[in-house]
Structures are given as structure tokens and as C-alpha cells.
Amino acid sequence: MTLALFTDPLAGLRDLLTLIAARRGGALGVVLEPVTEPGPGWIPAAELAREPFLLGAVLDDAAEHRGGIPRHVAGALLWKGYGYWHTAPMALGWALNRRVPIMRFEDTLVRPADGGVTVAATSVRTAVLPGDPSAGEPGTVVVDDLGAAVREALITGQAPLIDAVAALTRVGERTLWGSTAEALVHPLVAHAEILPGDAAAGAPALLASVGAPVDGLLEWTAEGYRRRTCCLWATVPDTTACATCCIGRSRL
């Protein structure tokens, strides 16, 4: 009897994330390996979005950790972290080899710590195009449009938490989706030299292919891009606006 062998479609992305973690001094806010036995501290994302909101306590802890900042600022910043680490692997997978990891909302786990979060999942699927050599392998989902697959992953995997953050903090949904929009683009710009081709130049195409609710929340300039929203980091005492912020003067 011959055993069927298959190649992990996300192996390249896992190696890339390991390299990015090393560039960041070991810090990474996402675990791409499936977390089959969640230890203490992991919370199902669905639990955070369900009333009565457990998310409220997480926001209050984040606000206290950052020196007692207002809850709405803590909410925007916590979302910026969650949105980035839930979104960035999809953008990097698209740029690396057109293999997009999907963490479904019902599978997603969150581990709050030090005012931020780490994102993981009990199961990670991979969206691939029909001609991909790994199409049909275990854990893959064959799609005709990767932009549409990312859009569905954002709407189903992020919208419930965005609704909860907005309900608890009154931060506008457009502001929160603005952080997700940047999370699709920033990894391709920040790590362009270790990605194939001209990933930074391809970022606008990725954003446009995803469409609503993120397309149109960044503007493109000769120097790079600029957000049309503010993540509220600029309101934290002793900080300055992000380089890409709509209220800052500097540009990426």
C-alpha cells in the first residue's frame, strides 16, 4: 500500500513569517500553526463578540495597561493589533505565492497581553486558485478570485468584532476598517525586499480586488500611501501621528 503524501501549501508563508519575526526581534502577533489544544489565556473570538461583551473587560485592561487612556482609544488600538495580525498573513500569502490562509471566525482564537493581542486558530484553511499545484490537497479551498476570498474572510471574520468594538466604544466602523485596509498594504510595503516581484507596487491591486469595506480607505502618493482614517494613536499622550495617518504630515 502506498501512503498518500501532500505538501503543506502554507510552508512558504510560515518560513516568511519566521523571517519577519526575526526582523522584529522575535515579536509576532499571529500563530499560523493550528492551535489544537488552546492553553490558558486563549479566548474564542466569537466569545468576545457575543453579548454581554467579554470584550469590554479586555478593552478596560488594555486601557489600563496603556496608562489609563480612554476606552474608545484603547478599542481602536486593540482593533488595530487584531486587524493587522488577522489580515497580514492573507496579504503576505497573496504576494508570496497566491496562497491565502483563512482563519474562519468560528475557529479564531485571541490571546490578550500587554495591551495588545495575538491571533491564532484551531484550524487554518488555504484559498488557492484552480491551477495551483496544491489545489485539492487537504485543507485547501479552490477559488476563482482570491480578492473575493479575502473579502469574505474579512466580512465574516472581522465584522462581528468591529461591530462589538463600535458598540462598546462609539468608534466609527470606517475608522476600524481603515486599520484593516492598511493591514493589507503595509506588510507588502514593509517587507517588499523579501517578497517576490514588486510587492509594494502590487498592493493597490490587492486592495482594489478585495473591494468594500476596505477599498478607498487609503490614498496613493508618489511616496507610497496615506490612510484616510486615524487609528487614534496620535491621541495617546507623548506620541506623534503615524507616518501614514490622515492627520500627519509625513508620508511613507
Side-chain angles (χ1 to χ4, degrees), residues 48-49 62 74 100 133 144 164 191 199-200 206 218 230 240:
L48 292 177
V100 175
D144 293 323
H191 305 296
L206 172 60
L218 302 181
C230 175
T240 57

Side-chain angles (χ1 to χ4, degrees), residues 49-130:
R50 185 176 298 121
E51 295 188 63
F53 293 119
L54 175 60
L55 179 61
V58 174
L59 293 178
D60 290 340
D61 286 345
E64 182 178 356
H65 180 82
R66 293 185 181 273
I69 60 175
R71 187 193 242 200
H72 71 283
V73 177
L77 295 180
L78 193 76
W79 174 256
K80 184 176 183 179
Y82 179 96
Y84 188 88
W85 292 115
H86 184 263
T87 304
M90 292 189 279
L92 290 167
W94 178 88
L96 179 66
N97 52 18
R98 297 300 192 264
R99 296 177 179 177
V100 175
I102 304 294
M103 294 182 177
R104 299 183 305 172
F105 191 58
E106 60 267 31
D107 299 329
T108 303
L109 303 170
V110 185
R111 183 170 60 196
D114 298 333
V117 296
T118 300
V119 180
T122 55
S123 175
V124 181
R125 298 184 177 186
T126 308
V128 300
L129 294 171

